[in-house]
Amino acid sequence: MSKPTGTYSITLPRGIAEAAEARGGPSGLSAYAAAAVARQIELDNLNDLITVAEAEHGPVTDEEIQSLRDRLMRVRREQSPPGASTA
């Protein structure tokens, strides 16, 4: 079952609207815009979580981020079949 929808009016720069219409394909501009807004809400929610975590534990350092990236790449290499790309 689909979620209830409403009709809203928004103003977009012409170039953005045209690009969104072109990329919306058969689903149309409304579906494309709804997906973009949903992604932005997810990003905003993640930023809220980061703010709370940093307030409680302090900011994450660049060194910690790089260490975790290195660890992730190492695990990906270990788990991928020989010759597979991990990029």
Side-chain angles (χ1 to χ4, degrees):
M1 177 163 41
S2 65
K3 298 178 181 177
T5 62
T7 301
Y8 304 92
S9 175
I10 62 171
T11 303
L12 298 170
R14 180 166 283 124
I16 291 174
E18 290 171 354
E21 283 182 318
R23 291 182 179 271
S27 297
L29 176 60
S30 291
Y32 191 85
V37 170
R39 276 192 308 276
Q40 185 61 50
I41 290 169
E42 289 173 354
L43 289 173
D44 292 345
N45 289 340
L46 285 172
N47 283 329
D48 292 344
L49 287 172
I50 290 168
T51 299
V52 168
E54 287 185 340
E56 186 173 334
H57 304 287
V60 179
T61 66
D62 290 340
E63 292 79 18
E64 290 170 315
I65 293 170
Q66 188 58 52
S67 173
L68 289 171
R69 283 183 177 150
D70 293 343
R71 182 176 170 195
L72 177 61
M73 290 305 295
R74 189 171 51 254
V75 168
R76 284 181 176 167
R77 279 193 304 273
E78 292 169 358
Q79 293 179 349
S80 64
S85 174
T86 59

